[in-house]
Each structure stands twice: as C-alpha cells, then as structure tokens.
Amino acid sequence: MTKEMLENIVLPEHIGVIMDGNGRWAKQRGLERSEGHKAGADVFRKICDYAAEIGIKYITFYAFSTENWKRPAGEVSAIMDLFRDYLFEAQEREEENIAKGMRIRYIGDRTALPEDIVNLIEQLENQSADKTTITVNLAVNYGGRDEILHAVKHLAEKVEAGELKADDITLKDIDGNLYTAGQPDPDLIIRPSGEYRLSNFLIWQAAYSEFWFSDILWPDFTSDDLDKAIIEYSKRNRRFGGV
Ligand code: FPP
C-alpha cells in the first residue's frame, strides 16, 4: 500500500485472521498437509511484518483451535513444532522484534500445551510487554466458547468469595476476563479459503466486526490481499447498531 493510499483510508485498528486452506494447498501440490502448514507459517511471518509496517496496532492469528486436537497426531505435532520454531526464532531475534516494536501475546488455554512451549510463550510475552508498534496475538488451543467459559468461571469464583454481586456483573467484567482483556475488539476479520464461518474465533469480540472472505488459500495470501481487505473495510459504513 502506498503512503498516499494509507493517508486516504480508514485503517482497522485490530484485524483477526483465520489462517485456513493449508491442507488443500498442500493437496493440490501432492504434498503432506504439514507442508501446507509450514508454508502457512511463512505467510504468517510476512503478514505480521507487513501489518506492523502499515500501522495496524493489533493483529490476531488463529493457528490452532480447541477442536483441532481431533486431527491426526502427526499433524498436531507438526503444527506445534511450527509454533515452537516461531517462538524460538522470535526469541533469538529478540533485537529485531524489539526494533519492530512487536508485542507478542498468546491467547487460548495454555494449560494443555507442552511445557517448553508455555515457557517460551511466557518469556516472549515478558520480553515484549512494553512494545507498542503492534500487538500480535497468537491463538493456539483457542476457542471462543472456551474463552467465555473461562471468564464466567472466574467471575463465579468472585461471587462465591463474596467479592462481587451477581447482579452487578457488567459487560466490561466479561470483557476484562477474556484472553484479549484490554485490547480493542477486531474491526475486521479475514477468512481465506472459501469458507464463510467464524469457527469459534473471537465470538464475543466479533459482535460488530466487518468480515472479508476470499477463495485464496492461506499459503497463497499476500500483502496485496491484506491491502484489498483493508481497502474494502475502509469503504464500509459501520453503525454499531445506530443509524
Ligand atoms: C487451517 O487450515 C490451518 C490450521 C489448522 C493450522 C494453521 C497453522 C499454521 C499456519 C502454523 C502455525 C504456526 C505459527 C507460527 C503460529 P486447514 O488445515 O484446515 O486447511 P484445509 O481446510 O485446506 O484442510
């Protein structure tokens, strides 16, 4: 996107991305599904950098859902390996990421992840906690319903402890107990690969999101596609229930 274009559009503050179509991309090429995820992880890196470059403040990538454990064990471990590789690399290139002002956050239920991955996540979250150019949320073992359940349990514990009255629970209390607490809701959600559903991604936060769908498979997704989605978003008139 040129500087001039950037000056004339409304940039979404937060973009959510469902990285879909890796398996089909691999199949089309006679490759293992894990090769599709590998290509998808490379695109994830490029799109992260590009989003930071054009001024997006928050971007959330859906990499692995609470339902994805049902996949063959080999595929699950290939995805975990790619996640681990990225975390290692992000840590090794700490200076580069810091220079980019990239804050890395994990969203999801980390209790089910391998311990070494959890440790890497925590180190990276701490290292990058004060960065403000862009926040990159990695959704791994993430499910929107699971996230809401987690928030409800936390609030119920407070009620049980007599710290909160059920009648006083507000929308803000629920927001504040989600994995994305303190972050703006996604303005734009992108789903490639010709599927038209949310698949349990940010279901609470997406109440007023705009959607952009495309037939492109995630490993073929480029910065030009991100531009297209943003330009289309910029033309939409968001009313948030008003007139
Ligand atoms: C959906 O495509 C994709 C996934 C379930 C995994 C996405 C994971 C990555 C891109 C790698 C994760 C790594 C990092 C660094 C976060 P699909 O397999 O459902 O594709 P299909 O619908 O064509 O079968």
Side-chain angles (χ1 to χ4, degrees), residues 123-193:
Q123 286 166 24
L124 212 52
E125 283 182 327
N126 290 336
Q127 272 173 10
S128 65
D130 59 346
K131 298 297 161 281
T132 54
T133 303
I134 188 168
T135 296
V136 177
N137 293 314
L138 299 167
V140 179
N141 194 28
Y142 172 87
R145 288 181 174 175
D146 182 66
E147 180 180 35
I148 295 168
L149 177 65
H150 175 265
V152 168
K153 279 186 182 168
H154 194 242
L155 292 171
E157 279 166 11
K158 285 195 158 180
V159 173
E160 260 177 10
E163 292 165 21
L164 182 67
K165 282 198 179 132
D167 204 37
D168 291 340
I169 297 175
T170 62
L171 294 173
K172 267 197 167 161
D173 289 319
I174 298 177
D175 257 333
N177 282 283
L178 299 177
Y179 299 131
T180 52
Q183 301 191 21
D185 286 340
D187 304 291
L188 170 65
I189 293 185
I190 294 176
R191 180 162 197 163
S193 97

Side-chain angles (χ1 to χ4, degrees), residues 19-24 33 37 40-41 44 63 68 71 75 79 82 86:
M19 302 190 283
D20 196 11
N22 298 342
R24 276 163 285 167
R33 291 178 58 83
H37 297 315
F44 151 79
N68 285 149
R71 294 187 176 213
E75 182 173 345
I79 295 174
L82 287 167
Y86 171 73

Side-chain angles (χ1 to χ4, degrees), residues 93-102 127-128 131 133:
R93 295 195 190 163
E94 188 191 342
E95 276 177 31
E96 219 176 279
N97 282 330
I98 288 180
K100 285 180 197 159
M102 210 176 262
Q127 272 173 10
S128 65
K131 298 297 161 281
T133 303

